[in-house]
Amino acid sequence: MWLGTWRSGLSKFNPKNEKSTSYQNDPNNPNSIPDDIIWCISEDSNGQLWLGTDKRGLVKFDRQNEEFIIYQHDEGRLNVTLSDTKVLSMLIDTKGDMWLGTTTGLNRVVYNKDPDAPLIFEYYTTENGLFSNTVQGIMEDNMGNLWLSNGDYLTELNLKTKKTR
């Protein structure tokens, strides 16, 4: 069981032997987890663990090597970086696409067949019909549409037509 915490990083708990392991940021260790505030966690079909962090964006945790790979916002490199450094919500949909809710919109991770290739990001914002650029929650319905929430608004994104309501 994986637990994202507020200010204590990432924790792994094994219910069989009741042992836990904690991963916390160590400013003197560049290989440590980059942020101690974890908003969300998902595991993809390849068994990769993905973390949405407060200040360091998206982080992939390589469980075999216990390394953290950071994907964060870089203003000069749009569509090859996240739109924001804060990832509030995450969903891996039934097609295997990863969706990230940030404070600057919704990001779709475009996977490459090569797991070591850089990720590419597509952005959805109020310019694409979202009611708000802050996306705190993401769910998928039985029709394959995404439902996005931010506390004030609920937006349906039809992935076939790219229309919102």
Side-chain angles (χ1 to χ4, degrees):
M1 178 184 327
W2 294 95
L3 306 166
T5 69
W6 183 261
R7 298 195 177 145
S8 293
L10 179 68
S11 293
K12 175 175 65 172
F13 177 71
N14 184 334
K16 290 179 183 175
N17 62 16
E18 296 188 4
K19 295 205 182 233
S20 63
T21 305
S22 181
Y23 302 90
Q24 291 185 301
N25 178 260
D26 177 353
N28 298 318
N29 179 358
N31 296 320
S32 72
I33 191 167
D35 194 336
D36 283 335
I37 299 175
I38 310 297
W39 286 101
C40 49
I41 303 172
S42 287
E43 182 178 12
D44 67 18
S45 60
N46 296 320
Q48 296 291 331
L49 197 65
W50 298 90
L51 315 171
T53 70
D54 192 59
K55 293 184 176 76
R56 296 302 298 266
L58 179 67
V59 175
K60 179 170 72 171
F61 179 50
D62 179 341
R63 291 189 251 189
Q64 279 192 301
N65 299 318
E66 293 201 342
E67 293 179 342
F68 296 91
I69 298 112
I70 304 166
Y71 303 90
Q72 65 182 28
H73 175 71
D74 180 348
E75 192 66 40
R77 300 181 59 218
L78 297 180
N79 291 342
V80 294
T81 66
L82 281 168
S83 67
D84 193 10
T85 58
K86 184 180 283 196
V87 177
L88 298 170
S89 56
M90 185 182 313
L91 169 79
I92 298 176
D93 69 17
T94 54
K95 293 183 209 162
D97 288 336
M98 184 186 305
W99 298 89
L100 307 169
T102 73
T103 58
T104 59
L106 180 68
N107 291 231
R108 178 178 165 258
V109 178
V110 180
Y111 283 104
N112 187 308
K113 299 274 185 209
D114 178 2
D116 296 322
L119 299 179
I120 297 172
F121 298 86
E122 289 178 354
Y123 309 139
Y124 295 82
T125 66
T126 53
E127 292 177 8
N128 304 100
L130 300 186
F131 285 102
S132 170
N133 282 331
T134 299
V135 179
Q136 293 174 312
I138 311 168
M139 293 190 74
E140 181 181 19
D141 67 19
N142 293 337
M143 308 273 280
N145 301 314
L146 296 184
W147 290 86
L148 315 171
S149 65
N150 76 345
D152 293 322
Y153 299 101
L154 183 63
T155 303
E156 177 190 27
L157 173 60
N158 183 314
L159 295 178
K160 292 177 186 156
T161 65
K162 304 291 189 220
K163 292 188 179 179
T164 60
R165 69 178 180 112

